[in-house]
Amino acid sequence: MEKALFAYLVLAILGTSLLVVTSRNAVKAVLWALVMFLHQAVLFLTLQAEFLAAIQVLVYAGAVLVLFLFVVYMINLREEVRFPRFVGTSPWAFLVVFFLLVLSGAALSGFRVASSKGILTPAALLSRGHVRILGEHLFREYILAFEVAGVLLLVAVLGAVVLVRRLREVER
């Protein structure tokens, strides 16, 4: 049962991720991302990481997607964006995808739960809790990466707004 649920979640996450990337309508892409984030939250729940599931729903499915929708509506994409293809579809691409699927299947067939290493032992998790350990790691050891990621997201949003303003000024 657990493997079937895990396989469903993996396939759903992969499928919705492809739909996010290949969707020509920006709003539909954001909605597919919402479905993907919710499946990731369920995957975290199956791994008994309740805090990560809650953060996934609150931060990514809530705040980040609302920010994306805000940017999409600010850009005012009323029609699907169609770009000419730079390269045609190659039969080699299908072969590579098939090879990656076979490789993924082989990797999943030998899947085993890893033993706990470092400070993330079951005893430490029970005594100190997931949230405390995650917070200590995030805000002590990875604070620079956390702050850099936040700044990068902010710069990306501001860059999109500036690009759209320039395009509108050129159109006038």
Side-chain angles (χ1 to χ4, degrees):
M1 180 67 184
E2 291 177 4
K3 283 190 173 186
L5 178 63
F6 182 77
Y8 164 72
L9 291 172
V10 167
L11 291 176
I13 290 170
L14 287 174
T16 53
S17 299
L18 285 174
L19 289 172
V20 168
V21 175
T22 59
S23 180
R24 293 186 181 269
N25 187 325
V27 176
K28 288 180 183 176
V30 171
L31 293 177
W32 282 121
L34 173 66
V35 173
M36 179 189 62
F37 288 147
L38 292 177
H39 277 87
Q40 284 178 340
V42 173
L43 183 63
F44 287 141
L45 283 177
T46 61
L47 297 173
Q48 299 178 350
E50 297 86 6
F51 179 73
L52 284 178
I55 292 298
Q56 182 75 21
V57 170
L58 291 175
V59 174
Y60 287 102
V64 172
L65 285 183
V66 168
L67 178 67
F68 285 174
L69 277 178
F70 178 72
V71 170
V72 165
Y73 283 115
M74 186 182 303
I75 292 173
N76 199 12
L77 294 175
R78 294 187 188 270
E79 298 176 8
E80 292 182 358
V81 178
R82 296 201 178 260
F83 294 105
R85 291 183 179 212
F86 295 109
V87 292
T89 304
S90 171
W92 290 102
F94 293 110
L95 187 63
V96 169
V97 168
F98 178 74
F99 176 72
L100 288 175
L101 287 175
V102 169
L103 194 62
S104 298
L108 286 177
S109 67
F111 176 74
R112 280 184 242 122
V113 177
S115 62
S116 58
K117 294 179 181 175
I119 64 168
L120 296 176
T121 61
L125 291 175
L126 288 175
S127 67
R128 297 173 58 203
H130 291 92
V131 177
R132 185 178 189 116
I133 292 175
L134 179 66
E136 287 175 0
H137 274 289
L138 188 62
F139 293 113
R140 285 189 184 159
E141 298 176 21
Y142 300 107
I143 187 67
L144 182 63
F146 183 76
E147 294 294 331
V148 167
V151 169
L152 283 176
L153 284 174
L154 179 64
V155 168
V157 169
L158 291 176
V161 169
V162 168
L163 287 174
V164 169
R165 282 188 113 183
R166 286 186 184 167
L167 288 175
R168 286 186 181 164
E169 290 174 1
V170 169
E171 290 176 355
R172 292 181 189 167

